[in-house]
Amino acid sequence: MSPKVLVVGSGGVGAVAALSLTLNGKCETTLVVRSDHDKVVAEGYTFRSVTYGNFDNWRPVHVARSVADAATHGPFDFIVVTTKNIPDGPMTCEDIIRPAVSLQTTIVLIQNGIGIEGPMIQEFPGNVVLSSVTLIGSTNINCEVHNLHKDTMLLSPFNNPNVSAEIAQQKAREFADLYQNADEKVNKVILEESSLQSRWEKLVYNSVFNTICTIVELDVNRCQIFGSNELFNKAMNEVVAIAASDGVVIDDSTKEKFMHIGDGLFYSPSMTVDRMKKQYFELEVILGNPLRIAREKNVPCPVLETVYQLLKMVQLKMKEEKGAITINQQDYKGVNSEKYPEIFQATLHK
Amino acid sequence: MSPKVLVVGSGGVGAVAALSLTLNGKCETTLVVRSDHDKVVAEGYTFRSVTYGNFDNWRPVHVARSVADAATHGPFDFIVVTTKNIPDGPMTCEDIIRPAVSLQTTIVLIQNGIGIEGPMIQEFPGNVVLSSVTLIGSTNINCEVHNLHKDTMLLSPFNNPNVSAEIAQQKAREFADLYQNADEKVNKVILEESSLQSRWEKLVYNSVFNTICTIVELDVNRCQIFGSNELFNKAMNEVVAIAASDGVVIDDSTKEKFMHIGDGLFYSPSMTVDRMKKQYFELEVILGNPLRIAREKNVPCPVLETVYQLLKMVQLKMKEEKGAITINQQDYKGVNSEKYPEIFQATLHK
């Protein structure tokens, strides 16, 4: 019996993962599709993929409306999580996949950020959790998937003290086998011992450019033209310093590369697009977790701390606008109106 | 012949200044009213003022549509500038008042910020420039002026190396006499030797709370609830350190007072309101100039520098939206597409 794989999250990355696993023919793939469920069942996806080719009306063998519904197609050997990772959002990734996790399930996180394995291992202590860092360049808009970059996956086990390293590495090799096409010119799975280096390097860009662009809702180039590269440089230096405190050495060329990687592209990072669409963004895994490490290791990060506080305000503002939290103004009435009546009035009405 | 005074800017502060000078009866007052000109000529202002009382259909003796038009009522002994001070905006304050400035004109700046006298003295080197810091709490919405706080003015000469200190102080006393009502219970002009202390103290609030609220478009309380007071505290410490480098000692109680001054008020600073109305805000005089002093004096201000860079982006974004600047994307095309084709693609499309 071939292994059963559940793909959770049907954005650009999830849809391509379901396609790749299916085409490779070594497992039985179920894809959870929430909002587009009926459309996918009726019409399937349109793929325009430089990695896997073009397909019309394509769908995996099972399409489920929810993780709970998908459970009937299990138990799953692998659950591939491609959703955004927003622990401060309406639902954690752990809660999302829980209905489909069994004792033998290996959880594969195709997600950005650092420290994302922590809550997962806490919730599912006996399960293997794998890290996947992908370079893919894929969007799914209304069931039309455009994949413009060769699907390249850096795969490794996350460190889980409750699981033997051999078993974890074995699971990584098994998943690599399910995902890696026979012809390496098609896609490319690269097994790594640890994901720390790849994840920190990606953060040199994501913790800096994604976050700053999101605060001001501008593309990278405009931020650089309107502001100064000194700000980006200082922020990247802070990420490099946190990474060093976590044992990861990042070469100066990485900063230089990222500073100019978007020259002339006027590209808005996905976090910025999320904010523009009034969707929650991945603040904690991209910036909150690195800063928690920085505080633990006494790495001063005044720029990133400022950026983080501002984005916390933005995310909570969005929560209030969505009605997810309520501010009761009466709760915050201070005593200053009595203490400083003159200035109080002036501040109120100036 | 009584002195002639021109009031430029007819917001809450300017309208009240024109009222106060007129009621005091010691000068001939001309008020420049741009957008509301016809309405003010036809109907006048409605005042509800705790300082000066209530008036309907009130107007000063002369109302002019522009500073150039106002010149026919000159030459002016005093020009009182109450406009916003936005050197990076469409018109500098110097350009605004130039048509009405003569050699004997004393220029009174009722404006926030630090370093605002620099460009003024450079443009009009032989003129006395006075500093006025006011506590007034006044708004003018559609010719209805609400003044909710006793009009208190801290008046002093700015240091102008081309003018004798005695003459400058004499001019300050003369203007105080024109503005101070016979009964000090009505309004209050306080003569100071220098405005540095008052201006820096006001900046402990304005450079920190106005700016941060403006980035995220939230009131002060929400910024404090959603973010952390640590950010505000660090930013206030930076202002205090710059002030110290400029010879001004600010007591710790000032920070404590400002941290809680708005408790329960859910008040949006005027800079934030400007941004919400898509109007340029006073970034340079409130934050840019303090930071220029900080750089000169080697005072590290990582939080305020970050805030400044972000607000520069916001202001320039607004400029582009208004069509005041144009970004030609072709000018920014880099060479990285050739240098890093894979990552370039991935960044573009991820």
Side-chain angles (χ1 to χ4, degrees), chain A residues 92-116:
Chain A
T92 64
C93 291
E94 296 73 45
D95 285 343
I96 290 170
I97 65 168
R98 184 176 289 110
V101 178
S102 63
L103 283 175
Q104 85 268 25
T105 306
T106 293
I107 300 161
V108 187
L109 303 181
I110 311 191
Q111 294 178 313
N112 281 321
I114 206 97
I116 57 176

Side-chain angles (χ1 to χ4, degrees), chain B residues 16 41 66 85 98 101 120 147 150 157 194 223 252 260 266 282 298 327 334 337:
Chain B
V16 168
V41 167
S66 68
N85 194 326
R98 183 176 289 109
V101 179
M120 207 42 94
N147 158 221
K150 181 179 166 177
S194 153
C223 283
D252 269 356
H260 296 291
F266 292 85
E282 293 186 296
N298 288 315
I327 299 293
S337 49

Side-chain angles (χ1 to χ4, degrees), chain B residues 94-112:
Chain B
E94 295 74 45
D95 285 344
I96 290 170
I97 65 169
R98 183 176 289 109
V101 179
S102 63
L103 283 177
Q104 85 268 26
T105 306
T106 293
I107 300 161
V108 186
L109 303 181
I110 311 191
Q111 294 178 313
N112 281 321

Side-chain angles (χ1 to χ4, degrees), chain B residues 46-62:
Chain B
T46 305
F47 277 93
R48 296 293 173 264
S49 167
V50 299
T51 317
Y52 304 103
N54 298 338
F55 298 85
D56 294 305
N57 310 112
W58 183 91
R59 69 181 75 81
V61 58
H62 305 299

Side-chain angles (χ1 to χ4, degrees), chain A residues 135 148 206 215-216 222 226 228 260-261 263-265 267 309 316-317 320 332 336 343-344 347-348 350, chain B residues 206 215-216 222 226 228 260-261 263-265 267 309 316-317 320 332 336 343-344 346-348 350:
Chain A
L135 272 179
L148 291 129
N206 285 341
I215 294 176
V216 295
R222 280 188 169 78
F226 293 165
S228 85
H260 295 290
I261 202 171
D263 283 3
L265 285 183
Y267 161 78
Q309 290 298 330
L316 282 160
K317 178 186 178 185
E320 194 187 8
Y332 298 95
N336 285 279
I343 304 158
F344 192 76
T347 305
L348 177 57
K350 77 172 172 201
Chain B
N206 285 342
I215 293 175
V216 295
R222 280 188 169 77
F226 293 166
S228 84
H260 296 291
I261 202 170
D263 282 2
L265 286 183
Y267 160 79
Q309 290 298 329
L316 282 159
K317 178 186 180 186
E320 193 187 10
Y332 298 95
N336 285 281
I343 304 160
F344 192 76
T347 305
L348 178 56
K350 79 171 165 200

Side-chain angles (χ1 to χ4, degrees), chain B residues 144-316:
Chain B
E144 239 185 66
V145 183
H146 287 260
N147 158 221
L148 291 128
H149 183 61
K150 181 179 166 177
D151 185 1
T152 305
M153 179 181 285
L154 303 172
L155 192 69
S156 61
F158 279 119
N159 181 32
N160 179 348
N162 317 306
V163 176
S164 89
E166 288 77 47
I167 289 175
Q169 278 153 18
Q170 173 57 27
K171 290 297 175 189
R173 282 193 298 271
E174 283 177 30
F175 186 74
D177 183 54
L178 300 183
Y179 204 88
Q180 176 62 62
N181 278 242
D183 182 354
E184 285 213 345
K185 279 189 195 134
V186 177
N187 72 347
K188 178 79 183 150
V189 180
I190 300 163
L191 283 165
E192 296 186 309
E193 220 170 281
S194 153
S195 67
L196 273 186
Q197 185 79 32
S198 332
R199 289 191 172 271
W200 277 114
E201 278 185 11
K202 216 167 170 185
L203 285 183
V204 173
Y205 189 89
N206 285 342
S207 303
V208 172
F209 289 88
N210 290 33
T211 55
I212 288 172
C213 290
T214 300
I215 293 175
V216 295
E217 294 186 89
L218 281 173
D219 58 67
V220 177
N221 272 153
R222 280 188 169 77
C223 283
Q224 291 181 305
I225 297 164
F226 293 166
S228 84
N229 275 347
E230 205 190 316
L231 175 68
F232 293 104
N233 200 44
K234 279 197 275 183
M236 284 196 284
N237 282 339
E238 292 180 1
V239 179
V240 170
I242 311 171
S245 82
D246 204 27
V248 171
V249 177
I250 294 174
D251 196 83
D252 269 356
S253 64
T254 303
K255 286 194 311 169
E256 184 56 27
K257 178 182 71 183
F258 284 145
M259 188 67 96
H260 296 291
I261 202 170
D263 282 2
L265 286 183
F266 292 85
Y267 160 79
S268 291
S270 58
M271 187 189 266
T272 309
V273 175
D274 285 340
R275 184 185 172 189
M276 287 169 168
K277 287 177 168 174
K278 315 258 179 220
Q279 290 172 357
Y280 297 130
F281 44 83
E282 293 186 296
L283 175 59
E284 295 305 329
V285 300
I286 296 290
L287 189 53
N289 288 349
L291 284 171
R292 274 178 276 276
I293 295 170
R295 282 175 222 137
E296 214 173 273
K297 304 282 176 66
N298 288 315
V299 180
C301 297
V303 174
L304 291 179
E305 286 282 3
T306 304
V307 168
Y308 175 65
Q309 290 298 329
L310 293 170
L311 282 174
K312 259 182 67 181
M313 295 175 196
V314 170
Q315 182 106 296
L316 282 159

